[in-house]
Amino acid sequence: DLMLSLIKESGFEQNLHLDLGHVDIFRNLSRIAGLSENEEIKLTDLYQRKAIPELAEFVEQVKLGQDFYTLGRYSSDLSTLRQKLSAAVLADDRLQQALDALEQAQSHIKQYWPTINVGVDAAELRGYHYHTGLMFAVYSPNRAVPLAQGGRYDGIGVAFGRERPATGFSCD
């Protein structure tokens, strides 16, 4: 809300598009499957490139491969994603919390910012090793980079002996 208010006050309120993602969906799916570091790196690359044919081939080699394919294939449709993920994956509380948080954020934006187009990408992994939860970026037409972007990043300040959760964004 703060980020969108700032953008609106700056005069950018026409045809805005907000992308939402949540790194804990992939992170928890990886944990459940017991992926190796190399498998996680390869999948991260495939998701970021939206390389669905390569993803389909690669997931044949990993545990819960069909669930990883489902995440890539249906990442923009949370309802279908929930229908297609396996019961074993959906039984995980932490994965459910991440899906719920993404749905709640999408619902909140649609309710309180009805003129903003909201897109979801449950396989968005920008800042994967930095962010710890919800991520967001807002775009304006004819601009290649986001007006603002940010997300959840817990553990900030640990280097100074004062670890705490945080959510933030940057604007350009």
PDB file of all heavy atoms in Angstrom, residues 14 17-18 23 33 40 55 83 87 89 111 114 126 131 149 156-157:
ATOM      1  N   GLN A  14      -1.939   5.633 -14.133  1.00  0.00           N
ATOM      2  CA  GLN A  14      -2.647   5.106 -15.290  1.00  0.00           C
ATOM      3  C   GLN A  14      -2.007   3.811 -15.775  1.00  0.00           C
ATOM      4  O   GLN A  14      -0.798   3.738 -15.935  1.00  0.00           O
ATOM      5  CB  GLN A  14      -2.643   6.129 -16.438  1.00  0.00           C
ATOM      6  CG  GLN A  14      -3.344   7.425 -16.117  1.00  0.00           C
ATOM      7  CD  GLN A  14      -4.832   7.225 -15.925  1.00  0.00           C
ATOM      8  OE1 GLN A  14      -5.463   6.440 -16.610  1.00  0.00           O
ATOM      9  NE2 GLN A  14      -5.401   7.945 -14.970  1.00  0.00           N
ATOM     10  N   HIS A  17       0.723  -1.989 -13.680  1.00  0.00           N
ATOM     11  CA  HIS A  17       0.668  -3.447 -13.558  1.00  0.00           C
ATOM     12  C   HIS A  17       1.553  -3.849 -12.377  1.00  0.00           C
ATOM     13  O   HIS A  17       2.711  -3.449 -12.296  1.00  0.00           O
ATOM     14  CB  HIS A  17       1.168  -4.127 -14.835  1.00  0.00           C
ATOM     15  CG  HIS A  17       1.193  -5.617 -14.711  1.00  0.00           C
ATOM     16  ND1 HIS A  17       0.090  -6.384 -14.973  1.00  0.00           N
ATOM     17  CD2 HIS A  17       2.176  -6.472 -14.316  1.00  0.00           C
ATOM     18  CE1 HIS A  17       0.394  -7.662 -14.755  1.00  0.00           C
ATOM     19  NE2 HIS A  17       1.649  -7.733 -14.357  1.00  0.00           N
ATOM     20  N   LEU A  18       0.993  -4.626 -11.465  1.00  0.00           N
ATOM     21  CA  LEU A  18       1.726  -5.102 -10.296  1.00  0.00           C
ATOM     22  C   LEU A  18       1.938  -6.600 -10.421  1.00  0.00           C
ATOM     23  O   LEU A  18       0.979  -7.356 -10.601  1.00  0.00           O
ATOM     24  CB  LEU A  18       0.952  -4.796  -9.012  1.00  0.00           C
ATOM     25  CG  LEU A  18       1.584  -5.275  -7.719  1.00  0.00           C
ATOM     26  CD1 LEU A  18       2.832  -4.462  -7.395  1.00  0.00           C
ATOM     27  CD2 LEU A  18       0.596  -5.197  -6.578  1.00  0.00           C
ATOM     28  N   VAL A  23       8.795 -16.373  -2.896  1.00  0.00           N
ATOM     29  CA  VAL A  23       9.908 -17.324  -3.032  1.00  0.00           C
ATOM     30  C   VAL A  23       9.734 -18.581  -2.184  1.00  0.00           C
ATOM     31  O   VAL A  23      10.319 -19.617  -2.509  1.00  0.00           O
ATOM     32  CB  VAL A  23      11.277 -16.675  -2.708  1.00  0.00           C
ATOM     33  CG1 VAL A  23      11.603 -15.588  -3.701  1.00  0.00           C
ATOM     34  CG2 VAL A  23      11.340 -16.175  -1.292  1.00  0.00           C
ATOM     35  N   ALA A  33      11.157 -31.935  -1.578  1.00  0.00           N
ATOM     36  CA  ALA A  33      11.742 -32.873  -2.540  1.00  0.00           C
ATOM     37  C   ALA A  33      13.177 -33.247  -2.184  1.00  0.00           C
ATOM     38  O   ALA A  33      13.716 -34.203  -2.740  1.00  0.00           O
ATOM     39  CB  ALA A  33      11.702 -32.269  -3.945  1.00  0.00           C
ATOM     40  N   GLU A  40      18.607 -27.357  -7.490  1.00  0.00           N
ATOM     41  CA  GLU A  40      17.927 -26.101  -7.159  1.00  0.00           C
ATOM     42  C   GLU A  40      18.396 -24.973  -8.085  1.00  0.00           C
ATOM     43  O   GLU A  40      17.582 -24.187  -8.586  1.00  0.00           O
ATOM     44  CB  GLU A  40      18.200 -25.748  -5.699  1.00  0.00           C
ATOM     45  CG  GLU A  40      17.299 -24.679  -5.152  1.00  0.00           C
ATOM     46  CD  GLU A  40      17.499 -24.482  -3.668  1.00  0.00           C
ATOM     47  OE1 GLU A  40      17.431 -25.459  -2.908  1.00  0.00           O
ATOM     48  OE2 GLU A  40      17.702 -23.317  -3.273  1.00  0.00           O
ATOM     49  N   LEU A  55      12.141 -27.364 -18.807  1.00  0.00           N
ATOM     50  CA  LEU A  55      11.681 -27.727 -17.469  1.00  0.00           C
ATOM     51  C   LEU A  55      11.042 -29.107 -17.499  1.00  0.00           C
ATOM     52  O   LEU A  55      11.330 -29.957 -16.651  1.00  0.00           O
ATOM     53  CB  LEU A  55      10.684 -26.687 -16.948  1.00  0.00           C
ATOM     54  CG  LEU A  55      10.053 -26.950 -15.580  1.00  0.00           C
ATOM     55  CD1 LEU A  55      11.111 -26.909 -14.482  1.00  0.00           C
ATOM     56  CD2 LEU A  55       8.943 -25.939 -15.303  1.00  0.00           C
ATOM     57  N   GLN A  83      -5.005 -26.912  -7.647  1.00  0.00           N
ATOM     58  CA  GLN A  83      -5.684 -28.126  -8.115  1.00  0.00           C
ATOM     59  C   GLN A  83      -4.694 -29.159  -8.642  1.00  0.00           C
ATOM     60  O   GLN A  83      -4.924 -30.361  -8.511  1.00  0.00           O
ATOM     61  CB  GLN A  83      -6.683 -27.787  -9.215  1.00  0.00           C
ATOM     62  CG  GLN A  83      -7.877 -27.010  -8.754  1.00  0.00           C
ATOM     63  CD  GLN A  83      -8.726 -26.537  -9.930  1.00  0.00           C
ATOM     64  OE1 GLN A  83      -8.486 -26.902 -11.074  1.00  0.00           O
ATOM     65  NE2 GLN A  83      -9.725 -25.720  -9.639  1.00  0.00           N
ATOM     66  N   ALA A  87      -1.102 -34.052  -3.556  1.00  0.00           N
ATOM     67  CA  ALA A  87      -1.602 -34.012  -2.180  1.00  0.00           C
ATOM     68  C   ALA A  87      -0.447 -33.969  -1.184  1.00  0.00           C
ATOM     69  O   ALA A  87      -0.536 -33.290  -0.150  1.00  0.00           O
ATOM     70  CB  ALA A  87      -2.496 -35.221  -1.910  1.00  0.00           C
ATOM     71  N   VAL A  89       2.453 -32.520  -1.502  1.00  0.00           N
ATOM     72  CA  VAL A  89       2.990 -31.159  -1.459  1.00  0.00           C
ATOM     73  C   VAL A  89       2.009 -30.225  -0.760  1.00  0.00           C
ATOM     74  O   VAL A  89       2.387 -29.413   0.083  1.00  0.00           O
ATOM     75  CB  VAL A  89       3.321 -30.667  -2.884  1.00  0.00           C
ATOM     76  CG1 VAL A  89       3.562 -29.177  -2.924  1.00  0.00           C
ATOM     77  CG2 VAL A  89       4.523 -31.428  -3.424  1.00  0.00           C
ATOM     78  N   GLN A 111      -8.908  -5.456  -4.145  1.00  0.00           N
ATOM     79  CA  GLN A 111      -9.935  -4.766  -3.371  1.00  0.00           C
ATOM     80  C   GLN A 111      -9.617  -3.284  -3.173  1.00  0.00           C
ATOM     81  O   GLN A 111     -10.481  -2.427  -3.358  1.00  0.00           O
ATOM     82  CB  GLN A 111     -10.115  -5.434  -2.015  1.00  0.00           C
ATOM     83  CG  GLN A 111     -11.163  -4.739  -1.152  1.00  0.00           C
ATOM     84  CD  GLN A 111     -11.341  -5.400   0.210  1.00  0.00           C
ATOM     85  OE1 GLN A 111     -10.741  -6.423   0.514  1.00  0.00           O
ATOM     86  NE2 GLN A 111     -12.168  -4.784   1.035  1.00  0.00           N
ATOM     87  N   PRO A 114      -8.326  -1.104  -7.210  1.00  0.00           N
ATOM     88  CA  PRO A 114      -9.043  -1.760  -8.314  1.00  0.00           C
ATOM     89  C   PRO A 114      -8.600  -1.335  -9.714  1.00  0.00           C
ATOM     90  O   PRO A 114      -8.866  -2.056 -10.679  1.00  0.00           O
ATOM     91  CB  PRO A 114     -10.508  -1.385  -8.064  1.00  0.00           C
ATOM     92  CG  PRO A 114     -10.457  -0.156  -7.221  1.00  0.00           C
ATOM     93  CD  PRO A 114      -9.208  -0.258  -6.401  1.00  0.00           C
ATOM     94  N   ARG A 126      13.231 -13.874  -8.730  1.00  0.00           N
ATOM     95  CA  ARG A 126      14.126 -12.717  -8.692  1.00  0.00           C
ATOM     96  C   ARG A 126      14.479 -12.463  -7.226  1.00  0.00           C
ATOM     97  O   ARG A 126      13.620 -12.413  -6.366  1.00  0.00           O
ATOM     98  CB  ARG A 126      13.384 -11.509  -9.289  1.00  0.00           C
ATOM     99  CG  ARG A 126      14.005 -10.166  -8.999  1.00  0.00           C
ATOM    100  CD  ARG A 126      13.081  -9.017  -9.433  1.00  0.00           C
ATOM    101  NE  ARG A 126      11.729  -9.070  -8.925  1.00  0.00           N
ATOM    102  CZ  ARG A 126      11.343  -8.646  -7.709  1.00  0.00           C
ATOM    103  NH1 ARG A 126      12.212  -8.158  -6.882  1.00  0.00           N
ATOM    104  NH2 ARG A 126      10.079  -8.720  -7.351  1.00  0.00           N
ATOM    105  N   HIS A 131      15.355 -12.417  -0.838  1.00  0.00           N
ATOM    106  CA  HIS A 131      13.984 -12.350  -0.317  1.00  0.00           C
ATOM    107  C   HIS A 131      13.623 -13.620   0.439  1.00  0.00           C
ATOM    108  O   HIS A 131      14.147 -14.695   0.161  1.00  0.00           O
ATOM    109  CB  HIS A 131      12.986 -12.108  -1.452  1.00  0.00           C
ATOM    110  CG  HIS A 131      13.083 -10.746  -2.044  1.00  0.00           C
ATOM    111  ND1 HIS A 131      12.734  -9.603  -1.358  1.00  0.00           N
ATOM    112  CD2 HIS A 131      13.513 -10.319  -3.246  1.00  0.00           C
ATOM    113  CE1 HIS A 131      12.935  -8.540  -2.111  1.00  0.00           C
ATOM    114  NE2 HIS A 131      13.416  -8.954  -3.270  1.00  0.00           N
ATOM    115  N   GLN A 149      10.100  -1.874  -6.793  1.00  0.00           N
ATOM    116  CA  GLN A 149      10.090  -3.311  -6.536  1.00  0.00           C
ATOM    117  C   GLN A 149      10.602  -3.572  -5.134  1.00  0.00           C
ATOM    118  O   GLN A 149      11.333  -2.767  -4.568  1.00  0.00           O
ATOM    119  CB  GLN A 149      10.939  -4.057  -7.548  1.00  0.00           C
ATOM    120  CG  GLN A 149      12.396  -3.686  -7.549  1.00  0.00           C
ATOM    121  CD  GLN A 149      13.154  -4.375  -8.662  1.00  0.00           C
ATOM    122  OE1 GLN A 149      12.664  -5.301  -9.296  1.00  0.00           O
ATOM    123  NE2 GLN A 149      14.366  -3.926  -8.905  1.00  0.00           N
ATOM    124  N   ILE A 156      17.369  -9.234   8.400  1.00  0.00           N
ATOM    125  CA  ILE A 156      18.137  -8.011   8.177  1.00  0.00           C
ATOM    126  C   ILE A 156      18.764  -7.563   9.507  1.00  0.00           C
ATOM    127  O   ILE A 156      18.163  -7.682  10.558  1.00  0.00           O
ATOM    128  CB  ILE A 156      17.242  -6.904   7.557  1.00  0.00           C
ATOM    129  CG1 ILE A 156      18.072  -5.755   7.028  1.00  0.00           C
ATOM    130  CG2 ILE A 156      16.213  -6.414   8.525  1.00  0.00           C
ATOM    131  CD1 ILE A 156      18.762  -6.055   5.755  1.00  0.00           C
ATOM    132  N   GLY A 157      19.963  -7.100   9.464  1.00  0.00           N
ATOM    133  CA  GLY A 157      20.643  -6.608  10.653  1.00  0.00           C
ATOM    134  C   GLY A 157      21.384  -7.667  11.439  1.00  0.00           C
ATOM    135  O   GLY A 157      21.979  -7.365  12.469  1.00  0.00           O
TER     136      GLY A 157
END
